[in-house]
């Protein structure tokens, strides 16, 4: 038995004698190798407390899973607990009274003081009540690089996006795909967002995403962004994979130079036995702008008309934020904990870079999911999917983007 599991078992025996052993179905979209290793930590901790974890993994991306999760809740077939991203994805479910109020757990465990940054708890709060348990902080603004690929091509590992672009011809000459990219709108939108932060900068990005300022979206800084995205599309033209983890695998195996992807990619490097700083490198803010967003995952608990289930849901919410689970889960997932009072000295070099940015307090951004409604996000993802799979010009893409931002909410 691992130490964390032992601790959980001991805590559960002492602290929770009143709660019956419970069987809860938990839905999520963690199906890659790294993600499965991380979710196993949650299941193990839950079962160590004498409960049963019924795993409801939904294969594919969040884009596939979310509509399934939401339609089950709306359609009267709710799971007991589910992953969603921090932000506005559950807004309508909360308004409809379909999610369990966790305020008593939040108060008993002092979440208002310990959850860091506070925006994560704010994203769970509606009209003063708490409806989700924040689980982790994931950021999207990372460029992951294969040392092997650059060594084979005989060039230095890039230190930023500009060097990455400059090194691409040498990689191509060596038969290596410069940029691995999964052909799905949400991944292409991550690349777009990463390039935006790196090239247009935080203020312009916030003006567009948070303030919905279409003039900034139409301006020269965004023209430079769209041109850079068109360059990225060129660098990824020989990348034929769909899933994000298959794109990460191209970097792990040195078939590609790099990937623009969230820090969950770390879970894949870890499962493959690769070491940050030795086998692969990571550049937050693409090495140009040391910023990260604080998106990630939270757990929501649909209302189920049964007191024992409700008690078990509250118990699980408490467990997810507990120090032991925060450490075990986040080390496996490559994400950062939602509380600052846990020991993450075991974190690898890349996680340490993320922790340093988080601790500095500068360079912390809201995630796209926090700033834009789901409807507007999906419109941008659809535009990106079309752009990356066609020869749409940068100018046309920018014009379409300006239209979306003009009516975004
Ligand atoms: C994100 C989620 C991460 C990771 C990623 C890829 O939405 O926050 O935990 O799983 O999707 O599946």
């Amino acid at each position: 038995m691992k130490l964390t599991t032992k601790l959980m078992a001991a805590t559960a025996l002492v602290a929770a004698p009143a709660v019956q052993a419970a069987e809860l179905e938990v839905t999520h979209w963690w199906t890659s190798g790294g993600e499965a290793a991380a979710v196993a930590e949650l299941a193990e901790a839950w079962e160590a407390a004498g409960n049963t974890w019924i795993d409801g993994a939904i294969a594919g991306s969040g884009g596939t899973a979310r509509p399934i999760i939401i339609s089950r809740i709306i359609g009267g077939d709710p799971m007991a607990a589910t992953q969603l991203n921090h932000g506005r994805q559950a807004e309508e479910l909360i308004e409809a009274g379909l999610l369990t109020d966790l305020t008593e757990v939040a108060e008993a465990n002092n979440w208002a003081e310990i959850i860091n940054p506070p925006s994560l708890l704010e994203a769970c709060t509606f009209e003063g009540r708490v409806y989700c348990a924040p689980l982790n902080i994931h950021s999207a603004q990372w460029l992951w690089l294969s040392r092997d690929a650059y060594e084979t091509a005989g060039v230095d590992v890039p230190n930023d996006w500009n060097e990455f672009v400059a090194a691409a011809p040498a990689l191509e000459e060596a038969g290596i795909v410069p940029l691995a990219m999964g052909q799905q709108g949400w991944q292409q939108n991550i690349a777009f967002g990463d390039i935006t932060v790196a090239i247009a900068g935080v203020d312009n990005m916030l003006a567009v995403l948070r303030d919905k300022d279409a003039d900034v979206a139409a301006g020269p800084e965004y023209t430079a962004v769209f041109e850079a995205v068109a360059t990225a599309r060129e660098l990824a033209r020989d990348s034929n994979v769909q899933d994000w983890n298959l794109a990460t695998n191209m970097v792990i195996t040195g078939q590609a130079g790099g990937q623009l992807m969230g820090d969950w990619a770390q879970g894949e490097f870890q499962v493959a036995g690769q070491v940050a700083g030795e086998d692969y490198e990571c550049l937050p803010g693409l090495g140009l702008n040391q910023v990260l967003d604080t998106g990630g995952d939270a757990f929501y608990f649909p209302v189920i008309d049964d007191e024992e289930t409700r008690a078990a849901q509250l118990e699980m919410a408490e467990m997810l934020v507990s120090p032991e689970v925060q450490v075990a889960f986040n080390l496996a997932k490559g994400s950062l904990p939602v509380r600052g009072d846990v020991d993450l000295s075991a974190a690898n070099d890349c996680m340490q870079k993320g922790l340093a940015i988080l601790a500095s307090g500068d360079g912390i951004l809201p995630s796209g999911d926090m700033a834009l409604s789901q409807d507007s996000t999906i419109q941008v993802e659809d535009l990106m999917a079309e752009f990356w799979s066609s020869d749409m010009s940068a100018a046309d893409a920018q014009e379409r983007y300006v239209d979306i931002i003009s009516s975004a909410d």
Side-chain angles (χ1 to χ4, degrees):
M1 208 195 277
K2 285 200 302 200
L3 179 62
T4 45
T5 314
K6 278 191 195 148
L7 281 173
M8 288 302 304
T11 317
L13 281 176
V14 180
V19 178
Q20 304 283 313
E23 223 179 74
L24 296 192
E25 186 203 357
V26 186
T27 50
H28 57 84
W29 58 90
W30 290 322
T31 52
S32 76
E35 292 174 326
V39 77
E41 294 287 349
L42 300 183
E44 210 178 289
W46 181 242
E47 302 212 325
N51 300 305
T52 305
W53 174 282
I54 303 183
D55 198 72
I58 302 171
S61 63
T64 314
R66 278 187 298 268
I68 297 173
I69 291 168
I70 288 170
S71 67
R72 275 191 56 187
I73 299 172
I74 293 174
D77 177 28
M79 63 299 293
T82 191
Q83 171 203 9
L84 285 174
N85 295 117
H86 295 309
R88 300 177 52 185
Q89 293 170 357
E91 250 168 26
E92 287 160 12
L93 296 176
I94 296 172
E95 275 165 9
L98 294 170
L99 296 178
T100 300
D101 184 331
L102 307 174
T103 310
E104 62 192 272
V105 178
E107 284 176 359
N109 292 280
N110 207 14
W111 287 2
E113 294 297 317
I114 60 168
I115 301 289
N116 176 55
S119 57
L120 302 184
L121 190 56
E122 279 157 27
C124 286
T125 307
F126 181 74
E127 293 179 348
R129 311 294 297 175
V130 175
Y131 290 92
C132 64
L135 178 64
N136 63 4
I137 302 171
H138 265 312
S139 45
Q141 296 73 18
W142 295 84
L143 175 58
W144 304 93
L145 298 165
S146 158
R147 282 205 149 272
D148 203 30
Y150 288 93
E151 258 158 48
T152 306
V155 284
D156 290 343
V157 179
N159 292 306
D160 63 33
W161 176 253
N162 296 329
E163 291 182 17
F164 176 80
V165 173
L171 264 69
E172 283 181 325
E173 208 143 291
I176 295 167
V177 177
L179 183 65
M181 174 58 73
Q183 312 294 316
Q184 294 169 344
W186 72 272
Q187 297 179 60
Q188 294 150 339
N189 191 31
I190 281 189
F192 169 59
D194 289 0
I195 291 173
T196 302
V197 169
I199 290 183
V202 173
D203 291 348
N204 286 314
M205 181 216 134
L206 288 178
V208 172
L209 286 188
R210 190 189 55 200
D211 308 335
K212 323 289 185 285
D213 188 332
D215 290 340
V216 176
E221 289 83 4
Y222 267 72
T223 301
V225 168
F226 278 93
E227 281 165 2
V229 177
T231 303
R233 179 177 61 183
E234 265 306 288
L235 303 186
R237 67 180 177 276
D238 292 324
S239 172
N240 295 318
V241 293
Q242 293 286 323
D243 295 333
W244 68 269
N245 53 312
L246 298 184
T248 309
N249 191 260
M250 290 174 70
V251 180
I252 290 173
T253 53
Q255 296 170 65
Q259 181 188 19
L260 293 165
M261 187 42 61
D263 53 2
W264 48 87
Q266 293 192 90
E268 304 308 299
F269 288 105
Q270 202 153 300
V271 165
Q274 296 213 334
V275 176
E278 281 176 29
D279 303 303
Y280 67 100
E281 296 292 342
C282 54
L283 299 175
L286 316 196
L288 292 176
N289 223 338
Q290 295 290 312
V291 291
L292 294 177
D293 75 287
T294 47
D297 306 294
F299 266 54
Y300 292 82
F301 301 87
V303 169
I304 293 176
D305 188 16
D306 174 65
E307 248 328 292
E308 272 178 26
T309 304
R310 197 183 88 87
Q313 289 172 317
L314 299 186
E315 185 191 352
M316 184 180 281
E318 180 169 16
M319 177 197 91
L320 296 171
V321 180
S322 70
E324 299 81 6
V325 167
Q326 282 293 305
V327 172
F329 175 80
N330 287 305
L331 284 179
K333 189 74 168 62
S335 44
L336 304 179
V338 296
R339 50 193 299 163
D341 59 350
V342 292
D343 178 11
L344 270 207
S345 48
N348 68 32
D349 281 9
C350 292
M351 289 178 79
Q352 298 291 358
K353 287 187 193 178
L355 283 167
I357 294 175
L358 191 63
S360 76
D362 295 334
I364 295 297
L365 303 172
S367 69
D369 286 322
M370 287 172 172
L372 283 187
S373 68
Q374 267 301 284
D375 187 37
S376 303
T377 302
I378 289 169
Q379 289 181 46
V380 180
E381 288 179 358
D382 288 348
L383 169 62
M384 285 301 142
E386 202 182 322
F387 178 78
W388 280 78
S389 61
S390 68
D391 57 3
M392 186 191 297
S393 71
D396 286 352
Q398 183 174 9
E399 208 178 303
R400 299 247 318 251
Y401 184 65
V402 172
D403 271 355
I404 294 173
I405 294 302
S406 309
S407 59
D409 60 349

